[in-house]
Amino acid sequence: PNARPEATVVQLARPTLDLKRTTPRTLSDDQERKHEAFVAQFRPATDEAAPPKDDKRERFERALRIEEALASGGPVGESEAAWLKGYRQTAEYRAQKALAEDFDGFGQVIA
C-alpha cells in the first residue's frame, strides 16, 4: 500500500564552453588603439596639488623646501603653495615643526 517512489539519478550537464584558452589572442593595430584609448579614460589625472603618497618625513621635508623657496623669493607653483597652506593646518606639520625646532633643526620626525 505505501510504495516508495523509485529514486531517480540525474546526470549533470557538462559545460559546453572551453574556458581555458592556451594561447592569448593578439589584437589588430586598430583594436590595440581602441583598447589604449578606452583604458586611458580610466587613468587618474595627475594633480600636483594632491599630496604625494609618502610618509610624514617626506611631507615635512617637502614643506620645508617650499618654505625655503618662499623665504628666498624662489619660484613656487600655485599648487605647491596651496598644498603648503593646507599642510600647515595639520597636527602633523605642527608636531614636526616643534620637534625640529626643539632638536635644533635635525629634522627629527615623530613616528
Side-chain angles (χ1 to χ4, degrees):
N2 285 342
R4 297 177 89 187
E6 190 174 315
T8 308
V9 177
V10 178
Q11 183 175 3
L12 298 175
R14 296 190 184 268
T16 56
L17 295 175
D18 181 18
L19 299 177
K20 298 176 185 172
R21 189 177 302 140
T22 56
T23 57
R25 288 187 181 166
T26 56
L27 300 177
S28 68
D29 290 340
D30 185 49
Q31 290 173 323
E32 189 68 39
R33 280 191 303 276
K34 288 178 181 177
H35 174 72
E36 182 58 36
F38 177 76
V39 170
Q41 295 175 8
F42 298 98
R43 287 193 185 113
T46 57
D47 182 8
E48 293 178 25
K53 294 177 180 164
D54 52 13
D55 64 11
K56 60 182 77 179
R57 174 181 293 278
E58 291 172 352
R59 286 188 296 271
F60 185 64
E61 289 174 352
R62 178 183 180 197
L64 292 178
R65 286 191 304 272
I66 297 170
E67 288 176 337
E68 189 176 307
L70 287 170
S72 67
V76 175
E78 287 181 32
S79 60
E80 288 179 319
W83 178 85
L84 179 62
K85 181 179 179 182
Y87 184 64
R88 282 179 168 167
Q89 304 301 315
T90 66
E92 177 183 297
Y93 171 81
R94 291 189 299 273
Q96 299 301 332
K97 185 79 168 170
L99 189 59
E101 289 169 356
D102 288 346
F103 286 95
D104 198 25
F106 285 133
Q108 298 293 323
V109 175
I110 299 172

